[in-house]
Amino acid sequence: MALTRAEINERSNEKRGIKNKAFKLNIDDIAMIKQTALDLNISEAKLVVEAIKFYRENKKASN
């Protein structure tokens, strides 16, 4: 039986250790994330991950 495109994508993501994560954000926050990623020439996902890492490291330093 042939696999659907969605099934192929799901299997590929599993192999690569990738999982979708969605958030409901304010439109202005979405625009800020999008523009910042463009300005830095990185993906929005990479921006979010790097921002969280930066926040955690700086939060540790202030405690």
Side-chain angles (χ1 to χ4, degrees), residues 8-49:
I8 292 168
N9 288 341
E10 184 177 337
R11 286 184 180 185
S12 175
N13 285 340
E14 281 181 26
K15 286 181 185 177
R16 295 181 293 141
I18 302 214
K19 186 173 183 176
N20 286 334
K21 181 70 175 169
F23 296 95
K24 291 183 181 180
L25 300 171
N26 180 287
I27 292 171
D28 293 335
D29 294 334
I30 293 169
M32 178 184 59
I33 292 168
K34 183 172 277 201
Q35 187 59 54
T36 303
L38 286 171
D39 293 345
L40 297 174
N41 198 29
I42 60 175
S43 71
E44 292 176 34
K46 182 172 176 91
L47 172 64
V48 171
V49 170

Side-chain angles (χ1 to χ4, degrees), residues 48-63:
V48 171
V49 170
E50 293 296 320
I52 292 168
K53 287 178 182 177
F54 181 82
Y55 178 83
R56 286 184 63 161
E57 287 303 312
N58 287 287
K59 196 69 172 170
K60 286 180 190 175
S62 68
N63 286 335

